[in-house]
Amino acid sequence: MSEKNLETLLQTATPVELLRNSTIGPYVYPVVQSEYTNWRDEQRAWQTACVLFNQSYHMTDMYVEGPDALKLLADLGVNTFRNFGPNKAKQYVVCNHDGYVIGDVVLFGLEENLFNLVGRPSVHNWVQYNCESGGYNAKVTRDERAAAQKGPLVRQAYRFQVQGPNALKLMEKVMGGPVPELRFFQMTTFTIAGKTVRVLRHGMVGQPGFELFGPWADGEAVKEAIVKAGDEFGLRLVGARAYSSNTLESGWIPSPLPAIYTGEKMKKFREWLPANSYEAIGSLGGSFYSANIEDYYLTPYDLGYGSVVKFDHDFVGREALEKIAKDPKRMKVTLALDSQDVMQAMGTMFEKGERAKFFEFPSAVYSTWPYDRVAKNGKTVGLSTWIGYSSNEGRMLTLAMLDNEHAKAGDEVTFVWGQQPGTGYRPTVESHKQVEIRATVSPVPYSEVARVAYRST
């Protein structure tokens, strides 16, 4: 059978088999240096000084333009679109017909009838498919992330973030005057190094922050001006190694498995997706295992997006979400892993017998979609989907979703670390044994600074 699309691939293997046996490792953050100084100080700087995240390479950009562009986005998104337009942005969430998340990205309103979606490609694929098949008077233009490009790397836009307690002072120096007041997720324009820069008020690590973007050709001049001005404020460039760990403190889960592998209503989409698409080649890993791919599907409420679901318009999945909204089953939390148990697991690296799965630092994620089991008295009570180390907190943390009755701050649960034996082969994962690690249910965001910032938005 020809394996020219995802649906034909699924005629040869179940979704779980396909993804568990993928040879792909974790999501790649290309081009940006692994470390500019060292990842510990780079982590510390976003809480104590300020940092520059270079996001110009690892995300897919897609532009949606036309008279029906807003209608297309509203028909697919769980968010409200009342009063949404130019110079505004939002965390845009799309679901399948049964109310399970396909993905989320940041949606920018650039101009009237022109929008930009930035993030991992699952949302872009779903929006593009519906644009092409749904009869909308709109068009999409894609700018693939660097890891998917061939030939000389030229993107449509650069994208930087300046974050940390000194970010505002740094931007005032770069601009030569006061920074205009901006509400969270609203935009304006700055002039930096003689270049017009679009600016989003945004905070990834619970600190004051700005996202800056503009034409690709302007990127180096803008970056140089920020770096030059940043010496006074302790600015550090953040490498790819530390970048992927910032979410542990802010609480955003970047890795929900796209809920597209089952259901007759999604079949045409699976036939549209090529066999080398993100959804077809990504890897599923971790200690949680089920032969039923739907057990990996997540709702917006699982991911902490309940507040953005608005039933003021019709959208794909609305009917199902209206039922789910009445009684959400799980809650997003942070798990603070017991340090002694973590050190005991790490200590097996110095033994010749069976060892625990190696912990990469600072991000210990080893698959595209990490799913680890969380248990209480031997019973599964939730899922962990991101794990790593925070130098700021001095703890190994995971982002998890627990059954409501076990999600109270201070509760103790068990985090199971290591691939479920016999559930898939991946050359990027060494032979190891599973270990159990005690964990304390904690707030999300974990950082107190981030929690205060979150409550104020």
Side-chain angles (χ1 to χ4, degrees), residues 5 23 34 57 88-89 98 100 165 241 243 334 383 386 412 421 454:
N5 60 55
T23 59
S34 175
Y57 304 102
K88 295 183 179 181
D98 297 317
Y100 293 104
R241 195 169 177 182
Y243 176 81
T334 305
L383 303 170
W386 205 260
E412 186 173 286
Y454 181 82

Side-chain angles (χ1 to χ4, degrees), residues 6 10 15 19 257-263 270 278-280 293 297 369:
L6 175 58
L10 294 175
L19 303 179
L257 178 76
I260 55 96
Y261 300 93
T262 54
R270 294 192 296 271
Y278 171 75
E279 297 86 343
I293 194 68
Y297 291 177
W369 301 296

Side-chain angles (χ1 to χ4, degrees), residues 224-293:
E224 286 179 11
I226 295 170
V227 172
K228 183 177 179 180
D231 286 344
E232 178 183 346
F233 305 104
L235 177 73
R236 284 186 184 264
L237 302 180
V238 173
R241 195 169 177 182
Y243 176 81
S244 63
S245 68
N246 76 79
T247 189
L248 294 165
E249 297 175 28
S250 65
W252 173 62
I253 293 177
S255 55
L257 178 76
I260 55 96
Y261 300 93
T262 54
E264 188 63 27
K265 290 181 179 179
M266 300 297 291
K267 184 178 179 180
K268 291 291 186 183
F269 178 53
R270 294 192 296 271
E271 292 173 339
W272 181 88
L273 283 170
N276 64 348
S277 63
Y278 171 75
E279 297 86 343
I281 66 173
S283 58
L284 184 61
S287 61
F288 175 78
Y289 175 77
S290 170
N292 181 3
I293 194 68

Side-chain angles (χ1 to χ4, degrees), residues 152-370:
L153 177 60
V154 177
R155 303 205 66 192
Q156 187 163 336
Y158 67 84
R159 194 170 302 276
F160 308 134
Q161 281 200 3
V162 178
Q163 303 280 345
N166 291 343
L168 182 59
K169 294 177 182 177
L170 169 57
M171 295 310 298
E172 287 175 342
K173 182 176 180 181
V174 170
M175 292 179 59
V179 173
E181 291 256 350
L182 265 185
R183 293 180 61 189
F184 186 73
F185 261 34
Q186 294 200 347
M187 293 190 289
T188 187
T189 57
F190 291 173
T191 300
I192 300 176
K195 311 294 184 183
T196 299
V197 179
R198 301 198 75 153
V199 180
L200 170 72
R201 172 68 177 87
H202 186 24
M204 285 185 66
V205 289
Q207 297 285 356
F210 304 90
E211 184 163 318
L212 316 172
F213 60 101
W216 182 258
D218 295 348
E220 277 304 308
V222 172
K223 180 182 174 184
E224 286 179 11
I226 295 170
V227 172
K228 183 177 179 180
D231 286 344
E232 178 183 346
F233 305 104
L235 177 73
R236 284 186 184 264
L237 302 180
V238 173
R241 195 169 177 182
Y243 176 81
S244 63
S245 68
N246 76 79
T247 189
L248 294 165
E249 297 175 28
S250 65
W252 173 62
I253 293 177
S255 55
L257 178 76
I260 55 96
Y261 300 93
T262 54
E264 188 63 27
K265 290 181 179 179
M266 300 297 291
K267 184 178 179 180
K268 291 291 186 183
F269 178 53
R270 294 192 296 271
E271 292 173 339
W272 181 88
L273 283 170
N276 64 348
S277 63
Y278 171 75
E279 297 86 343
I281 66 173
S283 58
L284 184 61
S287 61
F288 175 78
Y289 175 77
S290 170
N292 181 3
I293 194 68
E294 293 184 357
D295 289 338
Y296 297 85
Y297 291 177
L298 305 171
T299 75
Y301 300 92
D302 295 335
L303 293 166
Y305 288 137
S307 62
V308 309
V309 179
K310 301 298 181 185
F311 301 114
D312 60 358
H313 65 297
D314 289 328
F315 58 88
V316 173
R318 172 177 171 166
E319 185 177 349
L321 282 175
E322 285 179 320
K323 296 176 182 177
I324 293 171
K326 294 176 182 177
D327 186 24
K329 302 299 184 185
R330 291 189 290 203
M331 182 182 301
K332 183 170 73 168
V333 300
T334 305
L335 297 182
L337 303 191
D338 182 86
S339 297
Q340 293 299 319
D341 286 0
V342 171
M343 287 189 287
Q344 185 175 0
M346 293 178 64
T348 64
M349 296 297 109
F350 303 94
E351 300 171 0
K352 285 195 172 183
E354 274 194 307
R355 297 170 176 170
K357 174 74 186 72
F358 183 69
F359 287 95
E360 294 281 358
F361 272 60
S363 176
V365 171
Y366 58 90
S367 59
T368 311
W369 301 296

